[in-house]
């Protein structure tokens, strides 16, 4: 059994229908690569938040959700918090500065790399401002 098969992931999808589709694609990649998807964030070793960042209300909801889920890094079994989607694409440097609990950022163009990222990739800020 690989480490991936032991890794429990919880994903929250916020925003538009495109985000829901992107979230489904990410979940498909994770399942195909042996990650276990869990319904409750308190059961997850990795929490992924697929964000929206186009209107102020969506930005606020995304930030509030990230902050809420970041608490599981202190109180739960969560070891990684990953932020994906539009907010991550547009504001990764600001989010990294303001919410240090975030371990990785994936923009809208590289969400399909989620399995590789969680499989042990080192976080770094890329040319698009997103950690990969």
């Amino acid at each position: 059994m690989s480490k991936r098969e032991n890794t429990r992931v919880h994903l929250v999808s916020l925003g538009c229908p495109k985000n829901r589709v992107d979230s489904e694609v990410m979940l498909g990649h994770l399942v195909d690569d042996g990650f276990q998807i869990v319904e409750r964030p308190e059961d997850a070793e990795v929490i992924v938040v697929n964000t929206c960042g186009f209107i102020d209300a969506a930005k606020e909801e995304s930030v509030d959700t990230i902050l809420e889920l970041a608490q599981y890094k202190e109180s739960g079994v969560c070891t990684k918090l990953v932020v994906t989607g539009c907010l991550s694409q547009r504001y990764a440097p600001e989010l990294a500065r303001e919410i240090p609990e975030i371990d990785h950022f994936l923009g809208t163009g590289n969400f399909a790399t989620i399995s590789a990222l969680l499989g042990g990739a080192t976080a770094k800020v890329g040319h698009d401002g997103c950690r990969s």
Side-chain angles (χ1 to χ4, degrees):
M1 187 177 292
S2 73
K3 171 67 175 132
R4 287 180 176 182
E5 291 169 340
N6 293 324
T7 303
R8 295 179 311 275
V9 179
H10 175 76
L11 189 141
V12 175
S13 186
L14 304 170
C16 68
K18 182 184 180 327
N19 267 22
R20 286 191 287 281
V21 170
D22 291 349
S23 293
E24 291 293 326
V25 170
M26 281 189 278
L27 288 169
H29 285 292
L30 292 167
V31 168
D32 287 348
D33 290 333
F35 291 91
Q36 180 184 354
I37 307 304
V38 296
E39 292 295 319
R40 301 173 347 141
E42 58 267 27
D43 296 332
E45 296 165 276
V46 177
I47 296 174
V48 179
V49 184
N50 193 10
T51 63
C52 183
F54 283 109
I55 61 173
D56 287 339
K59 291 178 201 174
E60 187 174 322
E61 178 188 26
S62 292
V63 170
D64 288 347
T65 301
I66 294 165
L67 291 170
E68 177 185 323
L69 293 171
Q71 294 176 22
Y72 288 103
K73 287 187 71 175
E74 294 180 19
S75 66
V77 297
C78 180
T79 59
K80 288 185 182 178
L81 178 61
V82 180
V83 176
T84 68
C86 302
L87 192 74
S88 178
Q89 180 73 35
R90 295 176 73 188
Y91 301 106
E94 294 90 342
L95 289 167
R97 195 171 40 253
E98 297 296 323
I99 310 174
E101 295 87 354
I102 300 172
D103 296 293
H104 303 286
F105 293 95
L106 291 176
T108 56
N110 58 357
F111 66 86
T113 64
I114 187 83
S115 291
L117 177 74
L118 298 182
T122 302
K124 59 185 175 188
V125 177
H127 71 279
D128 63 355
C130 294
R131 290 183 195 170
S132 55

